Amino acid sequence: MGKRRTTQRVLKFKQNWSVGSNAAEYEDRDLLERAFVDTGVLDLLRDTRDPKCVVVGRTGVGKTALLLQLERSSDRVLRIRPDQLSMKYLVGSTILPRLRALDVDLGPFYQLLWRHVLTSEVLRHYFRLHGGGPFDAPGRWTRLLRLFDRRKREALEYFRQWSPSFWADTDVRLREITQKLTDDIQAKLGADRFAALTGESRLEDTVREEIVPRVQQVIDATSLQYIQRGMEILERDVLPNCVQPYFVVVDDLDQDWIDSETAYELIDALLQVLGDFVRLANIKVVAALRENVLVWLHADRPRGWQQREKQRDLLLPLAWSKPQLEDMLERRVRASVTTEHDGTIHLATILPPPRVDGVTALDYLVARTLNRPRDLISFTNDILKKAASELRHGKGLLSWEIIELAEREHSKHFLQALEDEWRANYIDLRAVLEVLRGGPHRFTTASLARAKSAALVHEGKAALARGLGSATSLCALAADVYERSHDHTLVWCAVLPVLYQIGALGVCRAPGDPPVYGCDPDAHDPRVVAGFSMQAEWIVHPALRSALGTV
């Protein structure tokens, strides 16, 4: 049999060679457009009749890139960024944090805010198109009133009389609504009880039992008429007259735009409000949500989060197959690296031929990802950079040795990214992963040393003493399990499935079977989950082995 032919070429590698940015929001728009790969979900997002409107995926899976592509496809896309809504005003208000501390359910109020934000943004855009000129221009209001029948004109007149700031920026309106809630609560409680509610001192139990139900009544009954009428105008007078549908995009919900507890409550309220807009024609509100946030929302919390079954019709999981990832990287190589050379350069031009065991370089790269573009882009950039520094004058053939050297950096980045992604869910994830350092990359639950689980239990007792619970601390989970069972093996039976869920570990269904990782399409197959037993064989993800020093 003849020697396998390769199209690999001697290339000049430069330090600034890159196949793109790790984050779509910072990427060159031309490159993003040329290298975009539709995994099959873009048409679903464009279909206003399809209820799926919440793009769910892990960090780096391409949610933002997908929403940017949606924006390019229509001139009726309105983008809402939570960090520009002055939501921090909610935390800084004198009353809302106090209500949360008293376990008052603020969900109905947060839903009210989202309905107003979404409705008013569309109405403001529509009126700009049909009214002409600034809102305070002479005769502007009269022209707007002529667009509607008598009943709707009365509603619009009500808008103007009740709240001139309806036409102001969103953050002004949010402050106004919050102040109105405060005023309603004060009117309900009276001056003395309201002062007790907003004071810094601890409420006496009798006063608390009196105040909390009355406050909850106010929040549950909160019904600002101008918001309800706004929804009515949107549904009956605006959307039916639109030739093109409206898309309202809510992105960056996973950014640090507000404290995490309030952010999760606001996100949960948004998911509930999206159901109001699903039934409307000619409009679709699209949100992007990181998977770990959804895990947090569906966890067993004191507050009543929506159940997954209620949200299933809204969720649109974003996942990538191996061929799609390869197509994405090929497009990026041609779009970005080709500009450095004459002629056409593609993956086969850059990557070395297969190893003697038949493993191709592309298979090797994809295996060290969580099946998401960011990992593959980052690893490829590390390889290009390493080639520029290792080859004489940066010129030569990319070798397997260079790929393996670059893998050391990639593994460090991968470990840090994994910790950053899941820190809000599991604050001590890094400490748990460090327990695996220096050990074998394949092991069974029963084979883990007692000393290693004892270390987790010790850390967990300290975490429990600091007020952390098993829902946010894996060490606390370990301590809780050991406290009830005094069995070190059961500690690992509780912790290892979590590491599998986040993609740090894989598991074999049966001896000799290839491992399945938490990021794989069949990760939640009942046959895989059933394999979480004492004798299950666990495998450290290839991308983590270098950083953790597993052998």
Side-chain angles (χ1 to χ4, degrees):
M1 188 172 180
K3 198 174 182 180
R4 184 166 182 173
R5 298 178 62 185
T6 177
T7 58
Q8 187 183 22
R9 286 171 43 187
V10 173
L11 298 174
K12 174 69 175 178
F13 293 88
K14 297 184 178 181
Q15 285 289 345
N16 63 346
W17 269 24
S18 169
V19 293
S21 171
N22 288 341
E25 53 266 37
Y26 305 134
E27 191 149 60
D28 177 79
R29 289 295 180 263
D30 180 62
L31 173 60
L32 194 62
E33 171 69 15
R34 293 169 64 188
F36 179 77
V37 174
D38 184 8
T39 61
V41 300
L42 185 56
D43 285 342
L44 291 177
L45 284 184
R46 288 171 173 160
D47 187 355
T48 58
R49 297 167 299 179
D50 193 296
K52 295 190 181 303
C53 57
V54 182
V55 183
V56 179
R58 298 191 59 161
T59 179
V61 80
K63 300 183 297 296
T64 297
L66 179 65
L67 297 188
L68 288 173
Q69 193 67 17
L70 176 65
E71 287 189 65
R72 295 176 67 99
S73 67
S74 173
D75 59 0
R76 290 289 182 90
V77 178
L78 309 179
R79 176 174 282 269
I80 294 177
R81 293 183 54 185
D83 63 334
Q84 295 179 345
L85 295 181
S86 293
M87 288 292 192
K88 290 183 179 180
Y89 174 75
L90 302 179
V91 180
S93 72
T94 57
I95 191 170
L96 294 183
R98 184 71 163 171
L99 297 181
R100 290 180 63 249
L102 294 173
D103 289 330
V104 174
D105 181 13
L106 293 171
F109 176 66
Y110 291 150
Q111 292 173 38
L112 179 71
L113 292 182
W114 279 118
R115 287 190 185 96
H116 178 58
V117 167
L118 297 172
T119 301
S120 60
E121 287 303 308
V122 176
L123 289 177
R124 280 158 53 89
H125 184 271
Y126 183 82
F127 291 153
R128 284 195 187 100
L129 293 180
H130 295 83
F135 289 119
D136 57 354
R140 171 67 183 269
W141 194 259
T142 302
R143 293 195 298 274
L144 287 176
L145 293 180
R146 290 172 181 168
L147 294 175
F148 302 97
D149 61 30
R150 178 178 178 181
R151 184 165 53 88
K152 297 304 182 300
R153 289 200 303 271
E154 292 174 354
L156 284 170
E157 186 67 30
Y158 180 83
F159 288 171
R160 183 176 65 171
Q161 294 175 353
W162 192 93
S163 175
S165 66
F166 178 83
W167 309 111
D169 290 339
T170 304
D171 60 339
V172 175
R173 287 173 273 138
L174 291 185
R175 291 169 183 262
E176 183 179 86
I177 295 171
T178 305
Q179 184 58 50
K180 186 176 189 309
L181 174 67
T182 303
D183 294 343
D184 289 347
I185 291 175
Q186 184 173 11
K188 181 75 172 179
L189 297 181
D192 293 341
R193 286 291 184 257
F194 183 78
L197 174 66
T198 56
E200 296 183 358
S201 59
R202 182 179 179 276
L203 289 178
E204 297 180 3
D205 291 341
T206 54
V207 176
R208 175 187 177 123
E209 291 175 359
E210 174 191 350
I211 287 180
V212 171
R214 296 171 69 182
V215 171
Q216 192 67 63
Q217 288 177 4
V218 174
I219 293 176
D220 292 343
T222 297
S223 175
L224 300 182
Q225 295 183 42
Y226 81 98
I227 294 177
Q228 292 183 335
R229 292 187 178 182
M231 286 283 291
E232 182 178 297
I233 290 175
L234 189 67
E235 180 177 5
R236 297 183 182 180
D237 290 89
V238 172
L239 296 177
N241 296 324
C242 292
V243 177
Q244 291 181 316
Y246 272 100
F247 293 95
V248 184
V249 173
V250 185
D251 197 7
D252 298 329
L253 288 169
D254 54 0
Q255 302 299 318
D256 295 329
W257 51 284
I258 202 170
D259 75 277
S260 58
E261 189 75 20
T262 305
Y264 288 142
E265 291 181 347
L266 285 165
I267 292 171
D268 184 68
L270 173 62
L271 294 180
Q272 297 189 53
V273 168
L274 289 180
D276 296 342
F277 287 85
V278 164
R279 61 181 177 80
L280 302 182
N282 278 336
I283 189 172
K284 192 166 192 176
V285 181
V286 177
L289 198 61
R290 214 164 62 189
E291 184 177 311
N292 69 296
V293 175
L294 196 64
V295 169
W296 201 98
L297 291 177
H298 289 151
D300 185 16
R301 304 286 171 181
R303 298 178 188 276
W305 307 112
Q306 276 189 298
Q307 296 300 312
R308 182 180 294 270
E309 288 300 318
K310 295 180 180 179
Q311 298 174 349
R312 188 180 298 277
D313 289 340
L314 303 179
L315 302 182
L316 182 58
L318 183 56
W320 291 71
S321 66
K322 184 172 177 289
Q324 289 169 341
L325 287 171
E326 294 174 354
D327 183 20
M328 180 275 302
L329 187 58
E330 181 69 67
R331 294 187 186 202
R332 285 180 171 271
V333 166
R334 294 191 180 195
S336 60
V337 182
T338 301
T339 60
E340 301 291 337
H341 291 274
D342 294 330
T344 301
I345 294 181
H346 46 88
L347 281 174
T349 308
I350 300 175
L351 297 178
R355 298 189 314 195
V356 293
D357 60 2
V359 175
T360 69
L362 191 52
D363 287 342
Y364 191 87
L365 267 62
V366 173
R368 279 143 185 81
T369 74
L370 289 175
N371 295 338
R372 54 189 182 182
R374 182 177 297 174
D375 297 332
L376 194 54
I377 292 170
S378 177
F379 195 4
T380 303
N381 286 338
D382 286 338
I383 292 170
L384 293 175
K385 185 176 180 180
K386 183 62 67 174
S389 63
E390 292 293 323
L391 293 172
R392 182 177 176 83
H393 304 301
K395 187 174 183 179
L397 292 172
L398 180 65
S399 65
W400 277 97
E401 289 76 13
I402 290 176
I403 292 177
E404 290 166 0
L405 285 173
E407 184 180 350
R408 298 175 187 176
E409 288 301 314
H410 171 66
S411 187
K412 294 177 184 177
H413 298 157
F414 189 95
L415 175 59
Q416 185 61 58
L418 198 65
E419 179 188 6
D420 292 342
E421 179 181 4
W422 291 94
R423 182 181 288 111
N425 302 72
Y426 311 112
I427 193 170
D428 48 14
L429 172 61
R430 182 63 170 266
V432 175
L433 291 174
E434 286 294 329
V435 173
L436 303 177
R437 180 174 294 281
H441 74 271
R442 303 178 77 99
F443 56 87
T444 63
T445 306
S447 69
L448 286 173
R450 171 178 174 175
K452 292 190 173 184
S453 60
L456 288 186
V457 172
H458 177 74
E459 291 292 332
K461 290 180 179 179
L464 291 171
R466 296 195 303 271
L468 296 176
S470 57
T472 56
S473 166
L474 289 177
C475 290
L477 173 63
D480 184 52
V481 171
Y482 184 76
E483 192 68 28
R484 289 184 280 106
S485 66
H486 296 283
D487 189 327
H488 286 278
T489 305
L490 290 181
V491 169
W492 288 113
C493 286
V495 172
L496 293 179
V498 177
L499 300 185
Y500 167 81
Q501 177 194 33
I502 68 174
L505 296 180
V507 66
C508 291
R509 295 174 178 172
D513 282 358
V516 177
Y517 295 95
C519 59
D520 292 340
D522 55 350
H524 303 292
D525 187 312
R527 293 173 297 173
V528 177
V529 177
F532 296 165
S533 64
M534 297 286 190
Q535 300 305 317
E537 185 177 35
W538 300 92
I539 299 92
V540 177
H541 193 283
L544 286 173
R545 293 173 193 172
S546 175
L548 293 178
T550 57
V551 294

